Amino acid sequence: LAQAAIEVSVVETTHPSHAVEIGRGVEGSEYDAVVAMGGDGLFSELCNGLLSRSNDQDAQPTPPPLGIIPVGSSNGLAASILKAAGEAVEPVSATLSLLRARTEQLDLGVVSQHGAISGYSILSMAVGLVADIDIGADAFRWLGTARTDMVAVRDIMRLRYEPPHSQGGS
């Protein structure tokens, strides 16, 4: 980046949801782009922060262009974007793609409850067992990518069958 005369401000996350806080603090006119160096979770947190900067939908500023350099344990979003561009899914290719200002439109899911936006979904949204596995796997980050498989097997083994309850009547 220095060889391309790109000025960089680095902010490291220090705790869960820190990227949400960072995103909320970004002024759109302050940066030409915001790049997450991590995985899908970090990118999702950053997007949620950027998109929730204002509760007033009419006053909400457009966030700057976003980028991702895949160094997380789950890099599905970066893989989708880089593979579509014919690039390798690794940090150097992602950085070069950013320098070329290659862009892709992303679909955005809006999560709302009782008429109020409670979050945004960038890559996927899950409920039930899949969501439980994803959440449970976070405690086993030290296992790397194997953590999801381990938690999936554990949680599936814990499932128990419950027959349907009758709704009354004879």
Side-chain angles (χ1 to χ4, degrees):
L1 295 174
Q3 290 176 346
I6 304 290
E7 187 178 330
V8 177
S9 297
V10 176
V11 180
E12 291 186 39
T13 57
T14 59
H15 54 274
S17 298
H18 189 200
V20 174
E21 298 167 21
I22 293 167
R24 284 189 184 131
V26 170
E27 291 295 327
S29 60
E30 191 176 351
Y31 299 99
D32 294 323
V34 175
V35 178
M37 193 166 179
D40 296 336
L42 183 72
F43 188 81
S44 178
E45 281 189 15
L46 182 62
C47 288
N48 271 276
L50 286 164
L51 294 168
S52 65
R53 289 179 292 163
S54 171
N55 291 330
D56 181 358
Q57 295 299 334
D58 296 328
Q60 188 171 17
T62 302
L66 304 174
I68 184 168
I69 298 175
V71 295
S73 55
S74 175
N75 298 306
L77 177 65
S80 295
I81 293 169
L82 290 167
K83 285 180 181 178
E87 300 282 352
V89 182
E90 49 88 32
V92 173
S93 293
T95 304
L96 291 173
S97 187
L98 291 169
L99 290 172
R100 291 184 197 113
R102 186 173 284 158
T103 61
E104 291 287 331
Q105 295 278 329
L106 294 178
D107 291 329
L108 177 69
V110 178
V111 180
S112 65
Q113 295 178 324
H114 309 292
I117 294 175
S118 60
Y120 301 89
S121 174
I122 311 310
L123 181 62
S124 65
M125 194 177 306
V127 295
L129 182 62
V130 173
D132 288 345
I133 291 168
D134 191 38
I135 292 167
D138 203 50
F140 298 97
R141 285 194 164 275
W142 54 272
L143 285 173
T145 57
R147 72 180 191 263
T148 305
D149 295 335
M150 190 272 303
V151 171
V153 170
R154 180 198 71 185
D155 288 1
I156 289 169
M157 297 297 287
R158 287 181 176 172
L159 292 176
R160 58 176 199 265
Y161 173 75
E162 294 196 27
H165 301 288
S166 69
Q167 296 291 326
S170 39

